[in-house]
Amino acid sequence: WDIETSVFLPRKKEADSKDFYNRPEVLEQMFLKDWNRLLAKENVIKMFDSETEDIREQLHQHCDMIYSAFHIFTVLGTGDPISMQLNEFTDFLNKCEIPDPQSKFC
């Protein structure tokens, strides 16, 4: 099997990375766009409170793993493979043990 002759060849022209894989600078752009979308939500800012910068640093440090998990859960679902349905999102939260019964936010 040769990726250069596979169905993924158009990605080298169409993807932001102009490559088969996302380069670090593309991941950085993705993260910044997602982070700014998150900050635009008023409830999120209230929830983060004074820990916003610490949360940003942690998410940024692990963004590659988070994006990979997102892709895995979207593909495993029954909906569109580039968006996460509620069932997949719930599975993702549970498998990652994100819900905290002691938290007033999740």
Side-chain angles (χ1 to χ4, degrees):
W1 185 78
D2 180 12
I3 197 166
E4 293 286 342
T5 60
S6 73
V7 296
F8 301 105
L9 182 61
R11 181 176 162 80
K12 286 182 79 171
K13 290 183 182 178
E14 297 170 0
D16 291 337
S17 63
K18 303 296 183 215
D19 197 353
F20 292 113
Y21 306 97
N22 286 327
R23 298 175 185 270
E25 57 271 13
V26 172
L27 286 173
E28 181 70 18
Q29 290 172 352
M30 288 169 51
F31 176 79
L32 290 174
K33 182 167 266 205
D34 288 338
W35 180 250
N36 288 327
R37 285 178 179 153
L38 186 64
L39 291 182
K41 299 184 180 298
E42 191 174 315
N43 290 339
V44 170
I45 297 299
K46 290 178 187 174
M47 181 176 65
F48 285 178
D49 195 27
S50 63
E51 298 177 22
T52 303
E53 189 56 31
D54 291 337
I55 292 169
R56 189 199 70 74
E57 287 177 22
Q58 288 299 311
L59 289 173
H60 187 257
Q61 181 179 347
H62 301 286
C63 71
D64 192 30
M65 181 179 58
I66 294 167
Y67 289 133
S68 294
F70 174 85
H71 291 298
I72 290 168
F73 280 89
T74 57
V75 169
L76 292 175
T78 57
D80 187 336
I82 60 170
S83 64
M84 190 178 285
Q85 306 299 315
L86 182 57
N87 288 343
E88 289 83 34
F89 182 66
T90 303
D91 287 345
F92 170 75
L93 293 176
N94 291 333
K95 296 250 193 243
C96 295
E97 299 179 357
I98 292 174
D100 179 1
Q102 306 302 317
S103 173
K104 65 179 179 178
F105 298 110
C106 62

